[in-house]
Amino acid sequence: MKSDVEELMPRLLPVEFGAAAEDLDPNGPPRNPREYLRQVQLEASLCPEVVVAQIDPKKLKKKQTINASVAGCHAAPEGFSPSLSWQQRQVGNFSDVRQSITKNRNHWSSHTLDDNVLMPTLTDEEGWKRFCLGETVYLGSSSSNTDEEAEPALDYTKVGFPPFLTIVSRLNQGRWLYALLACLEKPLLPEAHSSIRQLARRCAQLRSTLESNRDEKLPALNLLICLVARYFEQNDLVDQPE
């Protein structure tokens, strides 16, 4: 006669032991597969069918602290949020840029860099700040030329290197904001996923401090939030159109 457990959960691997089961040592190591399966069955038969957890109700009456992290962006002030059509248009343009970069990545990455382009290592944070922003901004030096003679050529070490495709195509995941979001490969690595979310939240925070919706920084902030939220599908960060 089958037990209640066997009625509900029939054996998927039935094993007949016969008289050999009498020689089984339940405390010793199994000598063959049959003995192993028999030990498993014996251990299962010793387990109670119903287990009741012992809970101290006094502990449940105490106030419990719950730490919640709000991962979304600052809501856009009234009149600062872009329209849905604008967001969709930016995502479409961005998608076209990404397709073009993907198509031409190998071509540009094979080009030789100019002698003045000395790329920092990926872990050199200070070097990248100087490389992207230029010494004029990063070091806080004056951008005006004190000499009467004009500089013979543009010095990128002073004003910062633009995100040329010959540069960004050499980077696995990129550095500059729009240009390097365009080079960011899907599916996102965990650290890249975290970084772009931080970028969108930071942009939203800066946007909330703007005094006017005519501020020249607003379109760029809206654009970066839009791309992170809509193109990279971080839906909880999406700007809701007014």
Side-chain angles (χ1 to χ4, degrees):
M1 183 176 178
K2 293 183 177 180
S3 66
D4 293 339
V5 175
E6 288 178 323
E7 288 288 347
L8 295 174
M9 301 177 63
R11 295 180 183 176
L12 297 179
L13 187 59
V15 178
E16 298 296 336
F17 296 95
E22 298 177 359
D23 300 330
L24 175 65
D25 180 5
N27 298 320
R31 295 170 295 183
N32 53 57
R34 284 178 175 272
E35 287 192 359
Y36 170 75
L37 293 174
R38 182 55 178 164
Q39 284 187 354
V40 171
Q41 290 179 350
L42 289 174
E43 290 176 3
S45 68
L46 297 176
C47 295
E49 295 184 2
V50 178
V51 178
V52 179
Q54 300 298 323
I55 300 175
D56 184 0
K58 295 180 181 179
K59 295 182 179 180
L60 300 179
K61 294 181 181 180
K62 295 181 180 180
K63 293 183 179 180
Q64 301 182 28
T65 301
I66 300 176
N67 296 320
S69 175
V70 179
C73 286
H74 283 266
E78 184 177 355
F80 284 66
S81 180
S83 67
L84 178 60
S85 61
W86 183 90
Q87 295 183 58
Q88 291 173 335
R89 186 167 61 254
Q90 300 307 320
V91 170
N93 293 340
F94 182 68
S95 179
D96 292 340
V97 170
R98 283 177 60 88
Q99 291 179 17
S100 177
I101 289 177
T102 299
K103 181 179 179 181
N104 297 291
R105 180 186 294 271
N106 291 335
H107 169 74
W108 286 108
S109 62
S110 64
H111 277 222
T112 303
L113 295 174
D114 292 339
D115 293 338
N116 66 329
V117 182
L118 299 177
M119 295 175 61
T121 62
L122 294 181
T123 58
D124 183 6
E125 182 176 347
E126 298 301 313
W128 278 106
K129 291 178 181 178
R130 185 181 293 104
F131 186 83
C132 297
L133 301 176
E135 294 178 355
T136 300
V137 173
Y138 179 69
L139 299 178
S141 58
S142 174
S143 59
S144 60
N145 188 10
T146 57
D147 299 332
E148 295 183 0
E149 296 182 2
E151 295 184 2
L154 185 62
D155 188 351
Y156 286 122
T157 61
K158 295 186 179 299
V159 300
F161 287 89
F164 295 129
L165 285 178
T166 51
I167 296 176
V168 298
S169 60
R170 285 173 160 77
L171 303 177
N172 292 333
Q173 295 297 328
R175 294 284 171 174
W176 291 265
L177 300 179
Y178 183 94
L180 299 177
L181 282 176
C183 293
L184 196 60
E185 298 174 358
K186 282 186 166 184
L188 296 179
L189 297 174
E191 56 268 25
H193 179 272
S194 175
S195 295
I196 66 171
R197 289 182 61 86
Q198 290 181 31
L199 170 64
R201 289 197 293 267
R202 178 59 176 159
C203 288
Q205 181 184 14
L206 291 175
R207 181 178 60 185
S208 68
T209 66
L210 299 181
E211 297 181 356
S212 169
N213 60 7
R214 297 180 181 275
D215 193 295
E216 62 180 8
K217 294 186 290 293
L218 180 60
L221 295 173
N222 281 340
L223 176 59
L224 293 174
I225 296 170
C226 169
L227 296 180
V228 170
R230 294 192 177 275
Y231 185 87
F232 291 101
E233 302 176 86
Q234 305 303 304
N235 297 323
D236 59 313
L237 306 180
V238 167
D239 271 328
Q240 299 301 328
E242 298 174 357

